[in-house]
């Protein structure tokens, strides 16, 4: 069942645009004015498998499993509501319609000013997918590829993903742009970014010679390259220069709660501590959940 499940995983984002507006209309949160409701209301954006995705009308995923365990620990119910990703931090910050945000949320300084974050539970690394016979992609000992290698390339991305944000920054950022304040590694090299509805469509465009590479999260990159012998994938690194070490393009995911809600935050951190412990086989519960929700049960 792996291929079927994963096809769904890759194509899930296709529906995101259509569903996002409809879902917003129906996403009422279950907190009541008198505080009589004991539910933990969690906002998510359910188009980010394996962390959250729709299975029929139900939202499932790694983040859902984590929060179900938290609710069990506190003797409360949990309710997931699907909203636009961009509103989650502000809604959690206000604390009126929800208590918590779980959506593969990257920890940033700006967000930390608005909400309290749990212990980070996953480190997301960006990968580059490229044609196996593309000699212009220079690797470092077949271990990783530096951003500089993508100078002048057409880069495919999945809309609104971390890969899209990083690629746009490296291609278009300039010191004069208030959003960035630095020059992108690929600025002025003739590199460009093309957006696709999902990572599989982007990868297909390499074969059709529409683009040169795809930049996307590690899990979808590995899945796509594993089933296509014409494609390879490697982690994407920043050049450390003459003095520094090269470093991966990565960020950490955490769950956020309304500032001051220490009971909920402590319960989340306690569950995460259990889930992140590595067993005798070297795997943690988080590792197992990732495999389960990618349809790769071992």
């Amino acid at each position: 069942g792996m291929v079927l499940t994963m096809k769904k995983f890759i194509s899930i984002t296709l529906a995101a645009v259509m569903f996002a507006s409809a879902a917003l209309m129906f996403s009422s949160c279950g907190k009541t004015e008198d505080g009589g409701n004991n539910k933990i209301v969690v906002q998510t954006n359910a188009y980010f498998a394996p962390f959250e995705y729709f299975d029929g009308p139900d939202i499932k995923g790694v983040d859902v499993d984590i929060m179900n365990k938290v609710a069990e620990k506190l003797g409360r119910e949990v309710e997931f509501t699907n909203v636009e990703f961009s509103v989650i931090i502000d809604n959690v910050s206000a604390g009126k319609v929800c208590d918590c945000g779980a959506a593969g949320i990257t920890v940033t300084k700006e967000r930390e000013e608005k909400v309290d974050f749990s212990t980070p539970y996953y480190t997301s690394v960006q990968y580059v997918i490229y044609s196996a016979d593309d000699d212009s992609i220079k690797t470092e000992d077949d271990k990783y590829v530096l951003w500089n290698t993508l100078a002048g390339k057409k880069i495919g991305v999945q809309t609104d993903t971390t890969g899209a944000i990083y690629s746009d920054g490296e291609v278009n950022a300039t010191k004069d742009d208030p959003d960035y304040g630095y020059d992108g590694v690929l600025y002025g090299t003739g590199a460009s970014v093309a957006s696709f509805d999902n990572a599989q469509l982007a990868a297909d465009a390499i074969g059709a010679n529409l683009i040169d590479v795809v930049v996307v999260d590690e899990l979808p990159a590995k899945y796509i390259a594993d089933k296509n012998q014409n494609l390879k994938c490697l982690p994407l690194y920043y050049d450390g220069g003459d003095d520094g070490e090269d470093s991966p393009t990565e960020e950490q995911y955490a769950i956020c709660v309304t500032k001051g809600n220490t009971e909920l935050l402590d319960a989340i951190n306690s569950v995460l501590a259990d889930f992140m412990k590595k067993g005798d086989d070297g795997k943690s519960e988080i590792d197992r959940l990732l495999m389960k929700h990618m349809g790769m049960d071992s």
Side-chain angles (χ1 to χ4, degrees):
M2 174 178 154
V3 174
L4 264 176
T5 320
M6 279 304 296
K7 271 208 182 115
K8 188 155 116 200
F9 162 49
I10 299 291
S11 66
I12 253 149
T13 34
L14 266 176
V17 180
M18 297 188 314
F19 275 115
S21 50
L24 267 177
M25 289 159 43
F26 298 115
S27 71
S28 64
C29 280
K31 290 186 86 168
T32 51
E33 292 306 310
D34 62 0
N37 192 328
N38 204 24
K39 267 186 191 153
I40 303 167
V41 180
V42 185
Q43 287 196 342
T44 193
N45 181 260
Y47 299 99
F48 196 62
F51 294 94
E52 37 270 319
Y53 55 92
F54 276 113
D55 184 4
D58 302 323
I59 299 174
K60 293 188 175 169
V62 177
D63 288 342
V64 178
D65 291 347
I66 291 169
M67 288 309 301
N68 281 335
K69 195 74 177 168
V70 170
E72 194 182 302
K73 193 177 185 70
L74 291 171
R76 294 168 69 182
E77 276 182 70
V78 66
E79 178 186 319
F80 266 80
T81 59
N82 182 58
V83 298
E84 293 282 3
F85 185 80
S86 55
V87 304
I88 295 174
I89 295 290
D90 285 338
N91 286 348
V92 172
S93 178
K96 293 200 169 50
V97 293
C98 61
D99 308 284
C100 178
I105 299 172
T106 299
V107 181
T108 66
K109 293 261 188 305
E110 293 81 6
R111 289 172 178 171
E112 283 180 316
E113 287 167 16
K114 295 183 175 181
V115 294
D116 285 342
F117 276 106
S118 71
T119 316
Y121 61 95
Y122 182 75
T123 300
S124 166
V125 183
Q126 292 304 303
Y127 266 56
V128 58
I129 304 172
Y130 58 98
S131 172
D133 54 14
D134 186 346
D135 298 330
S136 70
I137 303 290
K138 298 278 178 275
T139 72
E140 304 293 308
D141 301 329
D142 273 336
K143 291 193 172 69
Y144 58 89
V145 171
L146 293 173
W147 275 100
N148 328 13
T149 304
L150 307 185
K153 301 276 184 211
K154 292 188 176 128
I155 301 169
V157 297
Q158 178 176 331
T159 310
D160 285 344
T161 57
T162 306
I165 294 163
Y166 274 115
S167 299
D168 179 67
E170 298 313 335
V171 169
N172 297 314
T174 67
K175 281 198 180 67
D176 307 329
D177 185 329
D179 286 341
Y180 290 108
Y182 64 92
D183 282 340
V185 175
L186 302 174
Y187 181 72
T189 67
S192 60
V193 180
S195 291
F196 295 84
D197 281 340
N198 63 61
Q200 184 64 59
L201 287 173
D204 292 345
I206 297 176
N209 291 321
L210 297 171
I211 58 171
D212 301 304
V213 299
V214 174
V215 174
V216 70
D217 262 44
E218 174 181 11
L219 295 177
K222 282 184 169 168
Y223 177 75
I224 288 167
D226 279 350
K227 65 182 174 67
N228 186 332
Q229 61 198 28
N230 301 322
L231 297 177
K232 286 183 169 177
C233 72
L234 281 175
L236 196 50
Y237 273 57
Y238 284 99
D239 188 339
D242 299 333
D243 315 322
E245 282 187 39
D246 298 340
S247 59
T249 307
E250 66 180 24
E251 74 244 350
Q252 294 193 302
Y253 295 161
I255 294 168
C256 66
V257 305
T258 310
K259 273 194 184 293
N261 191 346
T262 48
E263 185 196 18
L264 182 55
L265 188 62
D266 290 349
I268 292 169
N269 281 337
S270 166
V271 167
L272 288 175
D274 287 345
F275 276 19
M276 287 164 73
K277 278 196 194 89
K278 298 228 180 271
D280 296 338
D281 60 355
K283 288 204 165 54
S284 68
E285 182 63 16
I286 296 277
D287 295 331
R288 274 188 288 275
L289 292 175
L290 285 164
M291 296 309 278
K292 178 181 95 170
H293 289 290
M294 284 182 73
M296 298 198 270
D297 291 11
S298 48

